Amino acid sequence: MTTGQSNRKFVTIASNSTAVERLCSRLLAEAAENHYCEDHLFAIHLALEEALMNAAKHGNEMDPKKEVAVEYAITPEKFDISISDQGPGFNPGTLPDPRSEENLYKYEGRGVLLMRSYMDVVEFNEKGNCVHMIKYRAPQS
Amino acid sequence: MKERIPPVGIAYSGGVTVATLTYERILEDADLRTLEKTILPIVEPDIKLVMDFSSVQFLTSAALGLLIRISKKVRENQGQMSLCGIQPKIMEVFKITQLDRVFDIQPDVPAGLRAVQGQVSES
Protein backbone atom coordinates (compact mmCIF):
# COMPACT_ATOMS: atom_id res chain seq x y z
CA MET A 1 0.00 0.00 0.00
CA THR A 2 1.34 3.42 -0.89
CA THR A 3 0.07 6.80 0.26
CA GLY A 4 1.68 10.19 0.15
CA GLN A 5 1.53 13.87 -0.43
CA SER A 6 3.86 16.04 -2.52
CA ASN A 7 6.99 13.96 -3.10
CA ARG A 8 6.97 12.15 0.27
CA LYS A 9 5.59 8.66 -0.06
CA PHE A 10 4.66 5.93 2.41
CA VAL A 11 4.59 2.24 1.76
CA THR A 12 4.30 -0.89 3.92
CA ILE A 13 5.60 -4.26 2.87
CA ALA A 14 5.48 -7.80 4.21
CA SER A 15 8.47 -9.10 6.18
CA ASN A 16 9.96 -11.33 3.52
CA SER A 17 12.74 -11.17 0.95
CA THR A 18 10.43 -11.19 -2.07
CA ALA A 19 8.64 -8.06 -0.84
CA VAL A 20 12.02 -6.45 -0.10
CA GLU A 21 13.30 -7.17 -3.59
CA ARG A 22 10.12 -5.83 -5.22
CA LEU A 23 10.30 -2.59 -3.27
CA CYS A 24 14.02 -2.20 -4.01
CA SER A 25 13.35 -2.56 -7.74
CA ARG A 26 10.63 0.06 -7.57
CA LEU A 27 12.71 2.58 -5.60
CA LEU A 28 15.75 2.05 -7.81
CA ALA A 29 13.62 2.67 -10.90
CA GLU A 30 12.51 5.98 -9.37
CA ALA A 31 16.11 6.87 -8.59
CA ALA A 32 17.15 6.03 -12.16
CA GLU A 33 14.36 8.28 -13.46
CA ASN A 34 15.96 11.04 -11.38
CA HIS A 35 19.28 10.45 -13.16
CA TYR A 36 21.27 8.90 -10.34
CA CYS A 37 24.50 7.45 -11.72
CA GLU A 38 25.35 3.75 -11.72
CA ASP A 39 27.64 4.03 -8.70
CA HIS A 40 24.94 5.79 -6.70
CA LEU A 41 22.34 3.23 -7.76
CA PHE A 42 24.63 0.44 -6.59
CA ALA A 43 25.18 2.22 -3.26
CA ILE A 44 21.47 2.88 -2.73
CA HIS A 45 20.58 -0.69 -3.73
CA LEU A 46 23.04 -2.21 -1.27
CA ALA A 47 21.99 0.04 1.62
CA LEU A 48 18.30 -0.58 0.87
CA GLU A 49 18.70 -4.35 0.77
CA GLU A 50 20.64 -4.34 4.02
CA ALA A 51 18.26 -2.01 5.86
CA LEU A 52 15.06 -3.63 4.60
CA MET A 53 16.30 -7.16 5.30
CA ASN A 54 17.47 -6.07 8.77
CA ALA A 55 13.96 -4.75 9.43
CA ALA A 56 12.21 -7.84 8.05
CA LYS A 57 14.58 -10.44 9.48
CA HIS A 58 16.02 -9.06 12.71
CA GLY A 59 13.29 -6.53 13.58
CA ASN A 60 10.15 -8.41 12.57
CA GLU A 61 11.71 -11.89 12.61
CA MET A 62 9.97 -12.60 9.27
CA ASP A 63 6.65 -12.61 11.13
CA PRO A 64 3.93 -12.52 8.45
CA LYS A 65 1.74 -10.50 10.82
CA LYS A 66 4.35 -7.72 11.04
CA GLU A 67 5.12 -5.15 8.37
CA VAL A 68 8.03 -2.95 7.43
CA ALA A 69 7.04 0.70 7.03
CA VAL A 70 8.90 2.85 4.55
CA GLU A 71 8.70 6.60 4.08
CA TYR A 72 10.71 8.09 1.24
CA ALA A 73 11.31 11.01 -1.07
CA ILE A 74 13.38 10.69 -4.20
CA THR A 75 14.33 13.93 -5.90
CA PRO A 76 17.11 14.90 -8.31
CA GLU A 77 18.97 16.22 -5.25
CA LYS A 78 18.73 13.34 -2.81
CA PHE A 79 17.38 9.90 -2.05
CA ASP A 80 15.85 10.14 1.42
CA ILE A 81 14.32 7.13 3.14
CA SER A 82 13.19 5.98 6.59
CA ILE A 83 12.62 2.29 7.28
CA SER A 84 10.81 1.12 10.43
CA ASP A 85 10.04 -2.30 11.80
CA GLN A 86 7.78 -3.54 14.60
CA GLY A 87 10.55 -5.13 16.58
CA PRO A 88 12.03 -4.16 19.96
CA GLY A 89 14.86 -2.16 18.34
CA PHE A 90 18.57 -2.32 19.06
CA ASN A 91 21.40 -0.05 20.10
CA PRO A 92 23.58 0.57 17.03
CA GLY A 93 26.29 1.94 19.32
CA THR A 94 26.88 -1.53 20.77
CA LEU A 95 27.25 -3.30 17.42
CA PRO A 96 30.59 -5.11 17.26
CA ASP A 97 32.97 -4.00 14.52
CA PRO A 98 32.78 -6.78 11.88
CA ARG A 99 36.28 -5.82 10.68
CA SER A 100 37.97 -6.65 13.97
CA GLU A 101 39.97 -9.87 14.10
CA GLU A 102 37.53 -11.68 16.41
CA ASN A 103 34.53 -10.86 14.19
CA LEU A 104 36.06 -11.22 10.76
CA TYR A 105 34.87 -14.81 10.33
CA LYS A 106 31.35 -14.26 11.65
CA TYR A 107 28.53 -14.99 9.24
CA GLU A 108 26.52 -11.86 10.05
CA GLY A 109 26.90 -8.31 11.31
CA ARG A 110 28.12 -6.39 8.24
CA GLY A 111 24.85 -4.76 7.15
CA VAL A 112 25.09 -1.54 9.16
CA LEU A 113 28.77 -1.11 8.21
CA LEU A 114 27.79 -1.31 4.53
CA MET A 115 24.87 1.09 5.00
CA ARG A 116 27.18 3.61 6.70
CA SER A 117 29.83 3.15 4.01
CA TYR A 118 27.54 3.67 1.05
CA MET A 119 25.07 6.32 2.26
CA ASP A 120 25.79 9.94 3.21
CA VAL A 121 23.52 9.91 6.26
CA VAL A 122 22.58 6.89 8.38
CA GLU A 123 20.86 7.55 11.69
CA PHE A 124 18.71 5.44 13.98
CA ASN A 125 15.87 6.54 16.24
CA GLU A 126 16.28 6.18 19.99
CA LYS A 127 14.46 2.84 20.12
CA GLY A 128 16.60 1.50 17.29
CA ASN A 129 13.74 0.20 15.16
CA CYS A 130 13.85 2.96 12.52
CA VAL A 131 16.75 3.94 10.30
CA HIS A 132 16.88 7.15 8.29
CA MET A 133 19.26 7.24 5.32
CA ILE A 134 20.15 9.85 2.72
CA LYS A 135 22.20 9.62 -0.45
CA TYR A 136 22.91 12.95 -2.13
CA ARG A 137 23.02 12.82 -5.90
CA ALA A 138 25.82 15.35 -6.11
CA PRO A 139 28.83 14.92 -3.83
CA GLN A 140 28.52 17.12 -0.74
CA SER A 141 31.40 19.50 -0.14
CA MET B 1 10.28 -13.43 -14.90
CA LYS B 2 13.20 -14.60 -12.84
CA GLU B 3 15.69 -16.86 -14.61
CA ARG B 4 15.36 -20.55 -13.80
CA ILE B 5 18.90 -21.67 -14.47
CA PRO B 6 20.73 -22.96 -11.38
CA PRO B 7 22.53 -20.22 -9.42
CA VAL B 8 25.82 -22.07 -9.72
CA GLY B 9 27.48 -24.35 -12.26
CA ILE B 10 30.03 -26.91 -11.10
CA ALA B 11 32.90 -28.07 -13.30
CA TYR B 12 36.11 -29.99 -12.66
CA SER B 13 39.47 -29.05 -14.12
CA GLY B 14 42.74 -30.82 -13.29
CA GLY B 15 41.68 -31.85 -9.80
CA VAL B 16 40.13 -28.46 -9.09
CA THR B 17 36.42 -27.83 -8.55
CA VAL B 18 35.28 -24.65 -10.30
CA ALA B 19 31.99 -23.22 -9.06
CA THR B 20 30.69 -20.56 -11.45
CA LEU B 21 28.02 -18.29 -10.03
CA THR B 22 25.50 -17.68 -12.77
CA TYR B 23 23.19 -15.02 -11.33
CA GLU B 24 23.97 -11.34 -11.81
CA ARG B 25 22.47 -10.57 -8.43
CA ILE B 26 22.59 -12.76 -5.34
CA LEU B 27 19.73 -11.45 -3.30
CA GLU B 28 16.95 -13.65 -2.12
CA ASP B 29 17.21 -16.11 0.74
CA ALA B 30 16.06 -18.82 -1.68
CA ASP B 31 19.05 -18.16 -3.95
CA LEU B 32 21.43 -18.31 -1.00
CA ARG B 33 19.88 -21.53 0.26
CA THR B 34 20.24 -23.08 -3.20
CA LEU B 35 23.87 -21.96 -3.39
CA GLU B 36 24.55 -23.35 0.06
CA LYS B 37 22.85 -26.67 -0.72
CA THR B 38 24.81 -26.97 -3.96
CA ILE B 39 28.27 -26.00 -2.79
CA LEU B 40 28.59 -27.23 0.81
CA PRO B 41 27.99 -30.93 -0.04
CA ILE B 42 30.77 -30.94 -2.65
CA VAL B 43 33.35 -29.76 -0.10
CA GLU B 44 35.31 -32.93 0.50
CA PRO B 45 38.68 -33.53 2.18
CA ASP B 46 41.55 -31.74 0.41
CA ILE B 47 39.18 -30.00 -2.01
CA LYS B 48 40.65 -27.34 -4.26
CA LEU B 49 37.80 -24.92 -4.92
CA VAL B 50 37.71 -21.92 -7.25
CA MET B 51 34.60 -19.73 -7.16
CA ASP B 52 34.10 -17.65 -10.29
CA PHE B 53 32.26 -14.39 -9.64
CA SER B 54 32.65 -12.85 -13.08
CA SER B 55 28.86 -12.83 -13.72
CA VAL B 56 27.99 -11.35 -10.34
CA GLN B 57 27.18 -7.65 -10.40
CA PHE B 58 25.53 -7.35 -6.98
CA LEU B 59 25.49 -9.14 -3.67
CA THR B 60 24.61 -8.37 -0.07
CA SER B 61 26.14 -9.14 3.29
CA ALA B 62 24.06 -12.33 3.46
CA ALA B 63 26.06 -13.69 0.51
CA LEU B 64 29.29 -12.73 2.26
CA GLY B 65 28.14 -14.78 5.25
CA LEU B 66 27.58 -17.76 2.99
CA LEU B 67 31.08 -17.39 1.53
CA ILE B 68 32.55 -17.45 5.03
CA ARG B 69 30.51 -20.56 5.81
CA ILE B 70 31.88 -22.25 2.67
CA SER B 71 35.47 -21.19 3.39
CA LYS B 72 35.15 -22.53 6.94
CA LYS B 73 34.08 -25.93 5.65
CA VAL B 74 36.93 -25.88 3.10
CA ARG B 75 39.43 -25.14 5.88
CA GLU B 76 37.96 -27.86 8.11
CA ASN B 77 38.57 -30.25 5.20
CA GLN B 78 42.16 -29.06 4.74
CA GLY B 79 41.20 -27.69 1.35
CA GLN B 80 42.15 -24.62 -0.65
CA MET B 81 39.76 -21.98 -1.92
CA SER B 82 40.10 -18.97 -4.21
CA LEU B 83 37.58 -16.40 -5.37
CA CYS B 84 38.10 -14.94 -8.81
CA GLY B 85 36.57 -12.61 -11.39
CA ILE B 86 35.20 -10.23 -8.77
CA GLN B 87 33.86 -7.05 -10.38
CA PRO B 88 35.24 -3.74 -9.08
CA LYS B 89 32.02 -2.70 -7.32
CA ILE B 90 31.83 -6.05 -5.54
CA MET B 91 35.52 -5.86 -4.71
CA GLU B 92 34.82 -2.59 -2.93
CA VAL B 93 32.34 -4.46 -0.69
CA PHE B 94 35.06 -7.00 0.16
CA LYS B 95 37.47 -4.16 0.97
CA ILE B 96 34.99 -2.23 3.14
CA THR B 97 34.25 -5.35 5.18
CA GLN B 98 37.95 -6.31 5.06
CA LEU B 99 37.01 -9.73 3.78
CA ASP B 100 39.74 -9.25 1.19
CA ARG B 101 41.98 -10.24 4.15
CA VAL B 102 40.02 -13.45 4.67
CA PHE B 103 39.74 -14.79 1.13
CA ASP B 104 42.36 -15.54 -1.46
CA ILE B 105 41.18 -13.35 -4.34
CA GLN B 106 42.51 -13.83 -7.86
CA PRO B 107 41.79 -11.87 -11.03
CA ASP B 108 40.43 -14.75 -13.13
CA VAL B 109 39.84 -18.50 -13.25
CA PRO B 110 43.32 -19.45 -14.57
CA ALA B 111 44.91 -17.49 -11.71
CA GLY B 112 42.48 -19.12 -9.29
CA LEU B 113 43.43 -22.57 -10.59
CA ARG B 114 47.12 -21.78 -10.14
CA ALA B 115 46.53 -20.44 -6.63
CA VAL B 116 44.68 -23.50 -5.30
CA GLN B 117 47.20 -25.79 -6.96
CA GLY B 118 49.87 -24.11 -4.91
CA GLN B 119 51.55 -22.27 -7.73
CA VAL B 120 52.75 -18.72 -7.22
CA SER B 121 50.20 -16.25 -8.44
CA GLU B 122 50.32 -12.47 -8.45
CA SER B 123 46.87 -10.96 -7.82
Side-chain angles (χ1 to χ4, degrees):
Chain A
M1 183 183 73
T2 305
T3 56
Q5 54 184 9
S6 67
N7 59 5
R8 199 100 192 142
K9 296 176 183 172
F10 303 89
V11 57
T12 55
I13 62 167
S15 301
N16 63 60
S17 61
T18 303
V20 165
E21 195 176 341
R22 279 199 196 121
L23 180 61
C24 281
S25 298
R26 192 169 122 197
L27 297 182
L28 287 168
E30 278 196 46
E33 284 167 14
N34 280 278
H35 309 293
Y36 285 72
C37 69
E38 232 181 83
D39 284 350
H40 278 158
L41 291 175
F42 181 92
I44 290 166
H45 190 182
L46 189 52
L48 273 182
E49 287 275 353
E50 298 294 346
L52 288 167
M53 281 310 292
N54 274 352
K57 192 180 276 187
H58 302 300
N60 289 348
E61 297 176 312
M62 298 296 205
D63 184 341
K65 293 192 288 291
K66 292 181 177 174
E67 291 182 321
V68 177
V70 178
E71 179 184 351
Y72 68 97
I74 304 170
T75 67
E77 290 75 39
K78 66 179 180 178
F79 184 104
D80 186 322
I81 188 163
S82 293
I83 297 166
S84 308
D85 61 60
Q86 296 178 273
F90 75 109
N91 180 357
T94 62
L95 279 180
D97 185 346
R99 299 163 299 184
S100 65
E101 213 59 50
E102 67 269 23
N103 297 321
L104 210 47
Y105 288 88
K106 288 193 174 162
Y107 304 147
E108 294 188 323
R110 297 177 180 83
V112 173
L113 168 67
L114 290 172
M115 287 153 58
R116 291 195 194 283
S117 300
Y118 281 97
M119 299 298 271
D120 297 309
V121 173
V122 176
E123 53 197 11
F124 292 85
N125 68 350
E126 197 174 340
K127 186 179 174 187
N129 70 335
C130 176
V131 61
H132 173 225
M133 303 190 292
I134 297 174
K135 183 76 176 176
Y136 295 103
R137 192 165 73 95
Q140 298 299 291
S141 54
Chain B
M1 188 78 180
K2 189 173 183 177
E3 64 238 89
R4 292 296 176 196
I5 57 171
V8 60
I10 306 291
Y12 299 93
S13 172
V16 178
T17 305
V18 180
T20 303
L21 303 182
T22 53
Y23 286 0
E24 274 192 18
R25 299 182 298 162
I26 305 173
L27 288 175
E28 291 209 37
D29 284 351
D31 295 341
L32 290 168
R33 279 196 298 275
T34 306
L35 275 174
E36 185 168 4
K37 283 180 186 168
T38 308
I39 297 176
L40 283 183
I42 64 168
V43 177
E44 294 175 337
D46 303 318
I47 187 172
K48 298 179 192 307
L49 176 65
V50 172
M51 294 188 69
D52 181 7
F53 277 77
S54 44
S55 296
V56 178
Q57 307 291 329
F58 186 85
L59 52 71
T60 64
S61 64
L64 298 176
L66 173 59
L67 287 177
I68 293 169
R69 202 169 289 129
I70 294 167
S71 76
K72 186 178 175 211
K73 189 169 181 193
V74 169
R75 277 200 315 278
E76 286 167 354
N77 281 274
Q78 286 75 49
Q80 302 288 325
M81 173 173 159
S82 281
L83 311 182
C84 66
I86 297 177
Q87 304 293 317
K89 283 195 183 75
I90 306 287
M91 193 63 211
E92 187 66 24
V93 174
F94 278 84
K95 286 182 176 166
I96 288 168
T97 54
Q98 296 193 10
L99 290 178
D100 56 334
R101 295 199 283 133
V102 167
F103 297 107
D104 178 65
I105 297 176
Q106 301 292 335
D108 50 28
V109 171
L113 292 173
R114 287 194 298 275
V116 296
Q117 286 168 333
Q119 298 169 22
V120 176
S121 183
E122 302 275 334
S123 59

